[in-house]
Amino acid sequence: MNRRCLLALALLLIVAVPASASAMDGTPGDVDGDRVLTSAEYASAALTYLDAAYMGGAGDLTRTDIRDAAWVSAHWDGRPCEITDSSGRTTTLYRPLRRVVTFSGESLETLRSLGFDMEKVVAVDKYSHGKKTFFPECQGKANVGSIWSPDMEQVLILRPDAVFLYATISTATCDDIQKRLEASSPGIRVFRFDCFKPATYPGEIRTIASAVGQKERGEEFAAFYESTMNRIRDGAAGIPDDERVRVYFEYWFDYTTVAAGAGYNEKTRLAGGVNPFATGTAEYPVVDPEAIIVTDPEVVVKLAGQGLAVGGYAGHDIAAFDAIRAGMLERPGWSSISAVKDDRVYVIHSDILGGAQHFIGTAYLAKWFYPDRFADLDPHAVHQRYLTGFQGIDFDLASEGTFVYP
C-alpha cells in the first residue's frame, strides 16, 4: 500500500472514533513541541499509526489521537485554540471538545445555534432538561441540577472535558462549582459565558464558535444577531429625550416593574423607550398603582412566562394572553392612561425577551414603540429564521407557541 493510499485511509479512520475525553496538554503529532501541527507532522503521525496498525502492533499515538490531530489541523490551522471567556480567564485547548456539560441554558442554545454536535452534550441543567419542546434532544441526557443545586457527583461520573457556567449570574456559586470541578478533575475545562447580554453576546458567539471549530457558522450567526440589534439601535438613535415613548414595563407579578439594574429595562431603553421607574436600587420594585396613572405611559408591556406560566414554547394559548391583557385594561383608573386610550397595551413572553433570544423580543418592543421608524422590521420573521436556520427545530410560529399579544 503506497503512502498516498495510507493517508487517504487515515482520513477515513478519523470519522468513526468512539468518544473519549482527553484534555492532556499538547496536540498529538506535534513532534517538535512548537505548538504548531504542520501538515508534514500530521501526515507522518497518521502514516506511522497506520503502519503500526497494518503490522498488528500499537504505536505511540492512538486512533483518537489521529482523529484529534486531523480536527485541530482542519479547524484550528494546526494550532492550539486559546479561549478567553467572559470572566476574563484564558484557557488553551489542544483537542476538540467531545463531552460537554452545560449549567447554562443560554450557552446550550448558543452551541446549537453554532451547529455544535448535540450528541457531544452529555448533560444539561434541570431547566433546559424540562424544556421538552425547545430542547427535545436533551430529554435523554443526564440532568445535573442547577448552579444553585448542582449534582456534582453526576457531573464527575460523566467525565466531561468541558463545563459551561455563567459569568455574571450568581458568581460566587459558579466560582464554587468551578473550584470543586478543577480540584476533582484537573483536566476539565470550565468556560464562563452569559449569552444573554446585548453588549457581550456577539463576542461570546464568536469565541464559542472558535472553541468548537465553527468560525464560519459563528460569523453567520453573529451577523444575523447584529443585523437585528443594529437595526434597532440605528432606528432609535437620534430620538430626542423629550420625544421618547414613555413605557410602563410590568414584570410577571402585578404592579412589579423593572428598574435600571434589570435586563428588561435595558431592552426597553435599547428599543427607544423611557421607563419612568428606572431609578432605584431594587431591580424589580413594586410600585404604587396610582403612580402608574400619574406617569401616564404611552405604551404598556406585560411580561408572561415562569411567574405567569402561560404560552411561550410550551403552549399555543392566545386566550390566556388575551385574558392577561383584558385584566390590565380593567384596572381602576387605567381608562385614563394614554396606552389604554390608544390601544397600545401588549403582552410578551420571557422566552423571547430574556436569554439568548433577547434580540427577538427587543425587536417587538421597538416595533411597538415606534411603528413608523421600524416599518421594515419583522420580528416574527426574525424569530422564525432563528428557529429554522440556527436552532434547527421544526417549530411553526403560525400554529405553535404564543409569544406576543396582540
Side-chain angles (χ1 to χ4, degrees), residues 370-392:
Y370 303 100
D372 293 336
R373 280 179 174 265
F374 294 101
D376 62 337
L377 181 61
D378 187 346
H380 183 277
V382 171
H383 192 181
Q384 189 65 68
R385 185 187 170 197
Y386 176 71
L387 297 177
T388 305
F390 294 98
Q391 287 300 297

Side-chain angles (χ1 to χ4, degrees), residues 229-241 243-244 267-273 362 366 369-370 373-374:
M229 292 302 292
N230 288 341
R231 173 67 185 90
I232 295 168
R233 291 188 179 95
D234 292 345
I239 302 175
D241 289 345
E243 294 181 15
R244 288 181 174 262
K267 288 141 198 169
T268 298
R269 179 181 54 77
L270 284 171
T362 306
F369 296 172
Y370 303 100
R373 280 179 174 265
F374 294 101

